[in-house]
């Protein structure tokens, strides 16, 4: 089985991320049904992570000091690939998502990632930011991505009211874009899982022959 996490990066309340997550999950379950894929929603907001408070960088590979870190570690370590659902804040990803990523290192490495972004510019800047961050963690990102525009993929009744988050009104081509991205993530995640398994498998003794 290939395990894929849909990671909700924003911790704001209320938030448009919930609408996006519902749409992505519905499409993903239809697309991946019967293909040996386990799909879960992983919400950063559920983990209560404070601003990074581990003494040592995760890349050192030292034991984690805090239970919230260990809980987050167990969650991420269980997956072969990720689809990041990210808003765009000031041309970057939400601080909550960056903080959550920085807590870990080995748990991310040699796994696949895809992106669904949303914002005034479709979240393009956020994904560019996220690709750079993940590359330092040896996450292998697929080329395809889904960009949802605040004014083209959401219906907002009162644009001047910041509390009106609107509702999903996704353009027809976006579901095809999402399906294609999911296919790439699942294929790459499976290949990388096999690579990790081969790397950790015990060596077969070589018998000398005369």
């Amino acid at each position: 089985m290939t395990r894929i996490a849909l990671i909700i990066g924003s911790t704001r309340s209320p938030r448009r991320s919930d609408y996006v997550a519902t749409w992505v999950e519905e499409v993903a379950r239809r697309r991946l049904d019967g293909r040996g894929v386990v799909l879960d929603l992983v919400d950063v907001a559920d983990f209560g992570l404070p601003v990074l408070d581990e003494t040592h960088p995760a890349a050192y590979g030292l034991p984690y000091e805090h239970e919230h870190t260990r809980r987050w570690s167990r969650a991420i370590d269980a997956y072969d690939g990720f689809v990041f659902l990210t808003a765009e804040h000031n041309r970057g990803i939400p601080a909550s998502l960056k903080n959550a990523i920085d807590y870990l290192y080995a748990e991310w490495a040699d796994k696949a990632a895809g992106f669904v972004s949303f914002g005034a510019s479709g979240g393009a800047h956020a994904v560019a930011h996220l690709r750079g961050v993940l590359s330092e963690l040896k996450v292998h990102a697929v080329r395809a991505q889904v960009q949802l525009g605040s004014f083209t993929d959401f219906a907002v009744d009162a644009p001047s009211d910041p509390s009106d988050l609107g509702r999903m009104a996704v353009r027809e081509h976006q579901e095809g874009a999402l399906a294609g991205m999911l296919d790439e993530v699942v294929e790459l995640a499976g290949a990388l899982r096999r690579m990790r398994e081969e790397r950790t498998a015990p060596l077969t003794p070589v018998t000398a022959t005369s």
Side-chain angles (χ1 to χ4, degrees):
M1 302 291 285
T2 300
R3 297 178 59 86
I4 304 295
L6 307 179
I7 297 183
I8 304 175
S10 173
T11 57
R12 299 173 79 173
S13 181
R15 57 185 183 176
R16 190 168 274 172
S17 303
D18 294 325
Y19 307 152
V20 175
T22 297
W23 174 70
V24 171
E25 186 176 23
E26 288 175 353
V27 174
R29 294 201 182 282
R30 289 198 306 270
R31 183 70 177 183
L32 303 178
D33 183 47
R35 292 172 58 180
V37 177
V38 174
L39 186 74
D40 297 317
L41 276 176
V42 175
D43 191 342
V44 169
D46 290 339
F47 289 83
L49 296 172
V51 174
L52 183 58
D53 61 351
E54 290 286 331
T55 301
H56 304 289
Y60 287 8
L62 297 173
Y64 295 124
E65 299 169 284
H66 303 295
E67 178 54 30
H68 54 255
T69 313
R70 292 190 287 269
R71 181 171 172 248
W72 178 235
S73 169
R74 290 191 295 269
I76 296 304
D77 195 47
Y79 295 99
D80 303 303
F82 313 99
V83 176
F84 290 89
L85 315 182
T86 181
E88 181 170 306
H89 294 175
N90 299 317
R91 292 181 174 252
I93 59 176
S96 53
L97 179 55
K98 180 62 166 63
N99 184 58
I101 290 171
D102 288 345
Y103 261 95
L104 310 177
Y105 182 81
E107 296 87 342
W108 300 114
D110 292 322
K111 297 180 180 180
F115 310 98
V116 178
S117 59
F118 45 100
S121 63
H125 302 293
V127 172
H129 179 198
L130 188 51
R131 285 183 184 275
V133 171
L134 294 176
S135 70
E136 289 296 311
L137 299 169
K138 300 200 298 181
V139 177
H140 301 261
V142 302
R143 181 179 182 276
Q145 62 191 62
V146 180
Q147 298 179 347
L148 304 175
S150 297
F151 307 107
T152 53
D153 292 297
F154 296 86
V156 180
D157 296 322
S160 61
D161 181 358
S163 66
D164 184 1
L165 301 179
R167 58 191 180 279
M168 296 296 292
V170 180
R171 290 169 290 173
E172 185 176 353
H173 75 278
Q174 296 285 27
E175 183 166 334
L178 175 56
M181 182 268 288
L182 290 168
D183 288 346
E184 290 188 28
V185 170
V186 169
E187 182 178 3
L188 182 57
L192 290 169
R193 185 190 71 246
R194 291 188 292 273
M195 182 191 76
R196 296 194 310 274
E197 290 170 348
E198 290 172 2
R199 180 191 299 153
T200 58
L203 295 176
T204 302
V206 177
T207 302
T209 59
S210 56

